[in-house]
Amino acid sequence: MKTNLYIAILVVFISCTNNSNKTTGIQPYGKFNTTLIDTLENTIKKIYGFDVIKLENKPLPKSTFINVKSPRYRADKLLAILKEEKPDSIDHVLGLTLKDISTTKKDLWGNTIKPESKYEDWGVFGLGYCPGESCIVSTHRIKSNPSKFVERFKKICIHEIGHNLGLKHCPNEECVMRDAAESIKTIDLVKLNLCDKCKHEIE
């Protein structure tokens, strides 16, 4: 009887710890809305079941600033800094900024997409290593529509965390991992959730 009780308790303990064995850190850059961060925290817990830690606000690193088409911060450099500065107790870190961010858009062979004048410094909603330990999301390109702002923000964050977990762009038109294909309308069409296939890949 005691042995069976011990096994039952052990099974419950293992199942509970498996649901919270990963931790996501939220790294706000600049004066980021705390209510929005709280909303995102709840969304990450709901979609992925991760614990969430809110890190102290930091200024955007000056080394990531670029001014080619307009004042922006390089998303790829921010990913590297976020990874380097990530506390060991955190599995993944999500950077948040109000500023515009950009990267170089490349094809499957690593070449800059043509025309280079358009894609060498390409503004993005977010970017994440796939797989990896860091991602970054900017609200700059989604702030024009207040009624859709929060929903768009949550979808982009969940999408970039998905990349950190190794999920690639999904062909399912309702999956949050669908490629935005350079259009904010795509983000509005997807659901705030992973499709069954993507869920299975990270189980």
Side-chain angles (χ1 to χ4, degrees), residues 3-5 17 45 49 54 59 83 86 102-103 107 109 114 126 139 146 153 164 169:
T3 301
N4 290 339
L5 179 61
T17 53
K45 289 178 178 178
K54 291 175 282 186
K83 179 182 177 181
K86 180 185 71 67
S102 64
T103 190
D107 60 23
W109 297 273
K114 307 294 183 182
T139 61
F153 172 71
N164 276 184
H169 286 144

Side-chain angles (χ1 to χ4, degrees), residues 172-200:
N172 188 318
E173 294 185 353
E174 294 185 341
C175 181
V176 75
M177 291 308 299
R178 184 184 177 190
D179 186 359
E182 302 183 11
S183 175
I184 191 68
K185 292 180 181 179
T186 306
I187 296 172
D188 293 334
L189 292 173
V190 301
K191 294 182 178 180
L192 182 58
N193 211 341
L194 300 168
C195 67
D196 291 340
K197 180 177 179 294
C198 288
K199 286 179 181 177
H200 179 71

Side-chain angles (χ1 to χ4, degrees), residues 65-198:
F65 180 77
I66 190 170
N67 193 355
V68 177
K69 299 176 184 177
S70 61
R72 291 172 173 169
Y73 291 83
R74 289 292 293 189
D76 46 339
K77 289 185 177 180
L78 285 166
L79 293 186
I81 291 172
L82 283 163
K83 179 182 177 181
E84 182 181 347
E85 297 180 349
K86 180 185 71 67
D88 292 337
S89 59
I90 293 174
D91 296 285
H92 306 96
V93 59
L94 165 63
L96 302 176
T97 178
L98 307 175
K99 301 294 184 179
D100 199 13
I101 59 175
S102 64
T103 190
T104 300
K105 194 167 185 180
K106 298 183 179 182
D107 60 23
L108 295 175
W109 297 273
N111 302 312
T112 303
I113 296 176
K114 307 294 183 182
E116 290 189 10
S117 59
K118 180 178 181 180
Y119 292 111
E120 184 67 33
D121 187 51
W122 178 247
V124 293
F125 305 122
L127 191 70
Y129 285 135
C130 184
E133 300 175 356
S134 60
C135 53
I136 181 76
V137 169
S138 164
T139 61
H140 180 83
R141 294 175 176 269
I142 60 173
K143 63 185 180 182
S144 60
N145 191 326
S147 64
K148 296 182 178 181
F149 172 77
V150 175
E151 195 70 6
R152 286 174 174 175
F153 172 71
K154 291 189 292 185
K155 289 176 181 178
I156 295 168
C157 290
I158 294 301
H159 179 102
E160 299 306 338
I161 293 174
H163 281 321
N164 276 184
L165 297 174
L167 293 177
K168 297 180 180 179
H169 286 144
C170 179
N172 188 318
E173 294 185 353
E174 294 185 341
C175 181
V176 75
M177 291 308 299
R178 184 184 177 190
D179 186 359
E182 302 183 11
S183 175
I184 191 68
K185 292 180 181 179
T186 306
I187 296 172
D188 293 334
L189 292 173
V190 301
K191 294 182 178 180
L192 182 58
N193 211 341
L194 300 168
C195 67
D196 291 340
K197 180 177 179 294
C198 288

